[in-house]
Amino acid sequence: MAFFSYSNNYSMLLLIVLLPCLLGFEKMAEAGNFYQDMDLTWGDGRGKILENGNLLTLSLDKASGSGFQSKKQYLNGRFDMKIKLVPANSAGTVTAYYLRSQGSSWDEIDFEFLGNLSGQPYIVHTNIYIQGQGNREQQFYLWFDPTADFHTYSFLWNSARILFYVDGRPIREYKNMESNGVPYPKKQAMRLYASLWNADDWATRGGLVKTDWTKAPFTAAFRSYNANGCVWTNAASWCCQNSAPWMSEALDAGNQKVLRWVQKKYMIYNYCADRKRFPQGLPRECTVPATNP
Ligand SMILES: *[C@@H]1O[C@H](CO)[C@@H](O)[C@H](O)[C@H]1NC(C)=O
């Protein structure tokens, strides 16, 4: 029977494999649903998915914090999340939102929001780990109160650069400088994680202020998660959108200006400027010129 010939079966198989990609294109632009996209991984009921999957809250009390992670793993992508941070006296609490791969030589791209006393500014702490090696911290204040409303925090990770955005404004860029011997995360797929935990031993300038447990539980809220990336399954990466804008995303002249403005006005710590910490010389990526535009 010609109908069941090998070549027909083969094209049928191809169609089945490609169909989700063809259909998925439209869907990918929509905000995700926390029930479908995330697993509450720890915190014993302190993490909650609400509003039919459109809202997720994490809470922290003296006994425990809480956290969630994405079901999918990605190799490169653009990840947006709206977050409303712990209000009022949040000193000692850390809300973390990050990408991380598995294993002992993991890659990781971090946003960590360090709480503060009422009316005092949050610190946005960023870091990048490559093969288990971090020490690439940059810290910022924000130009708004991150507890009054939801704001969008994004990672862009493609083969040329990592970008951190706040409400669409770039605050940090780490370029691929492998041609100059600087490591770059490119082989290990990452999951998206978020957590709320107590870090009053370091987050308040070395433990200066302690978490006020009479104000517990502390709560941070998440919504409008959107991941556009290459989904990693069984050691193969499904990249449906070969021409997806995030793959070639870079900063145009206007955005480079915004980045310089944020760094000039709001950056409070930059490891690349901390010569005391690196007496033998600054890390290589701080001194070599980036060859990628
Ligand atoms: C908290 O507020 C103080 C005083 O304004 C500030 O120096 C500090 O950077 C803020 N953030 C943290 C996490 O301590």
Side-chain angles (χ1 to χ4, degrees):
M1 297 238 292
F3 186 75
F4 292 106
S5 74
Y6 172 77
S7 67
N8 267 332
N9 268 346
Y10 184 71
S11 39
M12 195 65 180
L13 189 73
L14 255 184
L15 186 67
I16 288 169
V17 168
L18 286 176
L19 204 58
C21 295
L22 300 172
L23 296 176
F25 191 86
E26 279 289 296
K27 267 185 128 175
M28 281 192 142
E30 282 172 24
N33 180 291
F34 288 121
Y35 281 122
Q36 278 162 28
D37 301 337
M38 300 294 173
D39 288 319
L40 294 166
T41 41
W42 62 284
D44 198 20
R46 290 175 181 81
K48 288 189 179 70
I49 297 177
L50 306 158
E51 297 180 7
N52 297 319
N54 291 316
L55 177 71
L56 193 157
T57 59
L58 293 180
S59 75
L60 162 73
D61 55 42
K62 202 162 186 182
S64 178
S66 49
F68 63 92
Q69 67 183 48
S70 65
K71 294 188 192 204
K72 288 181 184 152
Q73 288 181 274
Y74 302 89
L75 194 68
N76 295 358
R78 161 114 193 187
F79 307 87
D80 306 299
M81 181 82 82
K82 283 196 186 318
I83 309 175
K84 190 172 169 184
L85 296 169
V86 176
N89 182 358
S90 58
T93 71
V94 171
T95 306
Y97 161 61
Y98 57 105
L99 292 161
R100 186 189 162 124
S101 69
Q102 313 276 291
S104 58
S105 60
W106 75 98
D107 299 329
E108 182 174 327
I109 307 172
D110 293 329
F111 265 117
E112 288 187 322
F113 304 93
L114 318 186
N116 215 336
L117 296 168
S118 292
Q120 301 299 311
Y122 262 75
I123 289 178
V124 180
H125 174 98
T126 64
N127 202 357
I128 298 169
Y129 286 74
I130 304 166
Q131 286 162 27
Q133 182 73 50
N135 299 328
R136 296 187 177 85
E137 299 88 352
Q138 286 187 355
Q139 296 186 333
F140 305 83
Y141 287 143
L142 291 164
W143 49 92
F144 52 84
D145 173 3
T147 71
D149 210 341
F150 285 91
H151 290 269
T152 306
Y153 304 90
S154 316
F155 300 107
L156 179 275
W157 171 38
N158 63 27
S159 55
R161 55 183 44 78
I162 294 165
L163 286 163
F164 295 75
Y165 291 95
V166 174
D167 285 339
R169 290 180 175 165
I171 66 162
R172 176 172 186 180
E173 179 174 37
Y174 183 90
K175 289 185 181 175
N176 183 336
M177 294 173 274
E178 280 188 304
S179 57
N180 276 310
V182 175
Y184 192 80
K186 62 171 186 187
K187 290 205 185 90
Q188 309 193 77
M190 303 202 222
R191 232 179 259 286
L192 190 109
Y193 296 83
S195 56
L196 175 59
W197 43 287
N198 176 43
D200 66 357
D201 51 339
W202 71 273
T204 50
R205 288 157 287 153
L208 210 63
V209 185
K210 293 293 165 195
T211 303
D212 180 359
W213 294 113
T214 66
K215 303 292 188 308
F218 303 97
T219 303
F222 301 78
R223 59 163 79 245
S224 307
Y225 170 62
N226 193 14
N228 271 290
C230 300
V231 176
W232 181 264
T233 40
N234 299 322
S237 149
W238 276 112
C239 223
C240 299
Q241 308 168 50
N242 274 316
S243 58
W246 58 265
M247 278 191 170
S248 54
E249 190 167 329
L251 299 180
D252 61 16
N255 269 324
Q256 283 177 29
K257 217 169 144 188
V258 174
L259 177 67
R260 284 195 298 273
W261 170 79
V262 172
Q263 297 204 332
K264 189 164 165 241
K265 295 201 76 163
Y266 296 98
M267 186 190 273
I268 52 172
Y269 178 79
N270 181 5
Y271 75 113
C272 278
D274 194 346
R275 290 178 189 277
K276 264 197 227 140
R277 182 178 171 194
F278 303 104
Q280 307 88 333
L282 292 172
R284 201 170 162 76
E285 68 267 21
C286 301
T287 55
V288 299
T291 45
N292 280 302

